[in-house]
Amino acid sequence: MTKRAYNFNAGPAALPLDVLKQAQEEFVDFRGIGMSIMEISHRSKEYEQVNDEAQSLVKELLGVPSGYQVLFLQGGASTQFAMIPMNFLKQGKAAGYVLTGSWADKAYKEAQGIGETYVAATGQPGGFRAVPNAAEIEARPGAAYVHLTSNETIAGSQFAAYPDTGDVPLIGDLSSDIMCRPIDVSKFSLIYAGAQKNLGPSGVTLVIVKDDLLEQAAKGLPTMLSYGTHAKSKSLYNTPPVYSVYIMNLVLKWLKQNGGLEAMERFNRDKTKLIYDAIDGSGGFYEGLVDPGSRSLMNITFALGSEELEKRFIRESEKEGFVGLKGHRDVGHIRASTYNAVPYESCKALADFMNDFRQRNG
Ligand SMILES: Cc1ncc(COP(=O)(O)O)c(C=O)c1O
């Protein structure tokens, strides 16, 4: 058995062991062609098959209705922060941003440099301990779109349900929770997600965009920054990140083999409950940083009584084989990222470690 770390990294993050093993098997000789997938043209039938399989698995797993395009882009989710307003924030219209923490703020700031924006709702007064509820989100009539961040990777909050924005297109950054549960894609006009948390390695960004919205995209943009370019060419306009798409395809197959997104949600709820229970049952030794109704299934954040104690927690956890528990450098504290590929056993081991640490230090 390969010895695997208890990997709680925030991204790039844990990948399913089965996927890594299959990639290892196929690394030198992909499907009997005598070359690796990285050594052949992206216009070869072998690569086109990988690209097509991955696109149709995205549609199948998420239940993407007809009238949407699935794109595989580059530049990370951060490039989407700019591409979205460049393509869809027309003069004379404003785009609403729902502010839930660091990532939403980055998307908002990028849009502010490109066009007119407004704050559709903000969780700032409460210190981002909760995401705004659907009724608080202002979808102004005639707005270009409303943008939200489904899961705040740094704060550790997540929307339990998405708002209904009526005629105003809803755009979602699902970078850190895509495919952690079933969603109703039809609520969104555009979804984007960097792959490096739940879908595979970094290098590819998934975009799901509605044809209606695509038709309204700005003309005259630089070729690579126009969604239309990629939609017209099945994401093969230029050389794609072939290895990232290949691994993503394996991850999507793994998701399907393991029962799809309903099974994944049950699995994620069960395994994160172990850690949330360790927080809630600690009599205040661990303090959750997000209100229960907005807690994330993907990033669990908590504090201990002092920085000194947190340093000791990290030090001791590392000795026990835990990786990635240090909170983001902007906020500190502790963060356990529990993406789809993080096994139940890792979460159980962390909950046990937390209980033991509390008994020794409480
Ligand atoms: C919610 C969210 N949005 C956007 C990003 C930025 O992604 P990228 O590094 O792919 O640009 C991240 C990265 O962690 C994220 O968690």
Side-chain angles (χ1 to χ4, degrees):
M1 258 299 275
T2 319
K3 173 140 177 38
R4 299 272 291 160
Y6 296 131
N7 183 354
F8 291 97
N9 279 323
L15 287 166
L17 184 57
D18 291 348
V19 165
L20 295 175
K21 283 186 171 162
Q22 188 173 344
Q24 186 179 41
E25 261 174 40
E26 296 179 332
F27 193 68
V28 174
D29 181 7
F30 175 71
R31 297 186 187 171
I33 61 171
M35 294 172 279
S36 119
I37 187 80
M38 287 173 287
E39 300 175 289
I40 58 173
S41 169
H42 57 291
R43 312 227 176 262
S44 61
K45 67 174 183 341
E46 288 83 7
Y47 183 72
E48 270 211 51
Q49 194 183 345
V50 168
N51 194 54
D52 290 352
E53 275 174 15
Q55 290 189 353
S56 51
L57 278 166
V58 167
K59 287 188 185 154
E60 185 182 338
L61 285 161
L62 281 169
V64 178
S66 61
Y68 285 79
Q69 305 285 328
V70 172
L71 312 178
F72 300 149
L73 306 186
Q74 299 188 62
S78 301
T79 298
Q80 296 306 304
F81 295 165
M83 266 178 85
I84 289 161
M86 286 172 85
N87 280 264
F88 305 122
L89 183 42
K90 294 226 172 76
Q91 259 199 339
K93 290 203 168 202
Y97 277 75
V98 182
L99 303 186
T100 41
S102 316
W103 289 112
D105 200 50
K106 282 207 168 138
Y108 176 52
K109 294 238 160 71
E110 195 78 2
Q112 279 181 309
I114 293 171
E116 197 188 323
T117 55
Y118 69 94
V119 175
T122 175
Q124 189 164 30
F128 297 121
R129 285 191 63 95
V131 299
N133 63 42
E136 287 167 343
I137 295 173
E138 187 199 356
R140 266 186 208 167
Y145 58 83
V146 166
H147 176 283
L148 62 76
T149 307
S150 176
N151 184 80
E152 279 286 356
T153 323
I154 296 175
S157 62
Q158 185 180 27
F159 280 90
Y162 298 119
D164 193 342
T165 51
D167 291 338
V168 178
L170 180 63
I171 293 184
D173 176 358
L174 273 68
S175 291
S176 50
D177 67 347
I178 185 100
M179 300 210 192
C180 80
R181 60 186 179 187
I183 56 167
D184 179 0
V185 173
S186 72
K187 284 201 151 187
F188 291 93
S189 291
L190 189 148
I191 288 171
Y192 63 100
Q196 65 272 20
K197 290 125 181 9
N198 263 349
L199 296 179
S202 58
V204 59
T205 304
L206 170 66
V207 172
I208 302 168
V209 57
K210 199 172 183 179
D211 290 335
D212 291 1
L213 187 67
L214 260 184
E215 280 156 22
Q216 297 164 34
K219 306 277 182 287
L221 293 172
T223 312
M224 282 295 287
L225 298 179
S226 161
Y227 289 104
T229 301
H230 305 286
K232 273 188 232 122
S233 58
K234 286 209 308 187
S235 302
L236 293 170
Y237 170 75
N238 72 325
T239 318
V242 291
Y243 204 73
S244 299
V245 174
Y246 158 74
I247 297 281
M248 179 168 69
N249 187 36
L250 296 184
V251 171
L252 295 167
K253 286 182 181 175
W254 171 83
L255 274 167
K256 187 174 165 180
Q257 274 157 14
N258 284 282
L261 303 192
E262 266 134 36
M264 195 43 69
E265 177 172 12
R266 275 195 302 279
F267 171 67
N268 286 329
R269 287 199 184 284
D270 288 350
K271 76 187 191 200
T272 52
K273 185 173 185 303
L274 299 170
I275 302 170
Y276 282 123
D277 282 353
I279 295 171
D280 295 339
S282 72
F285 182 80
Y286 298 112
E287 187 212 340
L289 299 174
V290 172
D291 294 346
S294 297
R295 280 175 168 176
S296 169
L297 286 174
M298 299 281 102
N299 309 97
I300 302 175
T301 53
F302 56 94
L304 283 82
S306 70
E307 213 183 311
E308 182 44 42
L309 206 51
E310 287 176 353
K311 280 194 181 140
R312 193 184 310 160
F313 181 92
I314 298 292
R315 237 184 0 254
E316 289 190 19
S317 74
E318 285 171 353
K319 282 202 196 113
E320 298 294 320
F322 295 94
V323 176
L325 292 174
K326 204 164 182 280
H328 188 276
R329 61 188 180 280
D330 289 351
V331 296
H333 304 302
I334 312 288
R335 170 177 58 176
S337 296
T338 50
Y339 300 119
N340 287 349
V342 173
Y344 187 88
E345 297 70 47
S346 296
C347 296
K348 175 80 174 71
L350 178 57
D352 289 348
F353 172 79
M354 288 170 70
N355 290 332
D356 181 58
F357 186 87
R358 172 176 54 82
Q359 271 157 16
R360 287 185 288 110
N361 294 280

